[in-house]
Amino acid sequence: MPPLPSCENVVCPSSAVIEVTDSDGNVVIVTGPNAVLCLLPGLYTAMVISPLPQPSIQYFWSQDGTLTMPLITDQSITIDLGEGESPTLSVAVVLEDCPPLTGSATLTGCVIDCDVDLTFVLRDD
């Protein structure tokens, strides 16, 4: 029977951190007190920024609790956010000799309401 790996020199991260950017590469804050209420429809990328990539790392993305098909195992995932949609993107990060990590971000698409009644008043002064 082969010996078990030594865990003495392994420093395992405690969480997976996801950063969301818009199609222009601008960081969008979707969690915490400074989070935006909603996002304009369009392309957004969620990327694991911690832990940093390394040869033995694996990523498994899901959307609303369902693994992405085809399976996305890259450091990032790009979605086309629609008006009024609120998908939750989750990732499981697997590092050799460490417990799995998870992270998630929910993106909320703004509802654009263009059905506004305008009233014009013409005055002849």
Side-chain angles (χ1 to χ4, degrees):
M1 182 174 196
L4 294 173
S6 171
C7 295
E8 293 176 21
N9 297 326
V10 176
V11 177
C12 293
S14 59
S15 65
V17 178
I18 296 175
E19 179 178 82
V20 177
T21 55
D22 63 17
S23 59
D24 293 325
N26 301 308
V27 175
V28 179
I29 300 172
V30 295
T31 59
N34 297 322
V36 294
L37 295 178
C38 65
L39 303 168
L40 292 176
L43 294 177
Y44 291 88
T45 300
M47 176 183 283
V48 176
I49 59 169
S50 177
L52 296 174
Q54 46 191 286
S56 64
I57 200 166
Q58 294 178 311
Y59 306 95
F60 301 94
W61 288 94
S62 62
Q63 182 172 335
D64 296 326
T66 302
L67 273 175
T68 57
M69 290 297 163
L71 193 61
I72 296 176
T73 57
D74 296 329
Q75 183 184 2
S76 63
I77 183 173
T78 299
I79 68 160
D80 191 358
L81 182 66
E83 183 178 323
E85 295 178 342
S86 290
T88 297
L89 304 174
S90 302
V91 65
V93 181
V94 180
L95 284 160
E96 190 174 345
D97 297 327
C98 291
L101 305 170
T102 58
S104 66
T106 299
L107 284 61
T108 301
C110 296
V111 175
I112 302 169
D113 185 7
C114 294
D115 295 333
V116 178
D117 292 331
L118 298 176
T119 303
F120 292 98
V121 176
L122 296 175
R123 294 186 181 178
D124 187 13
D125 291 334

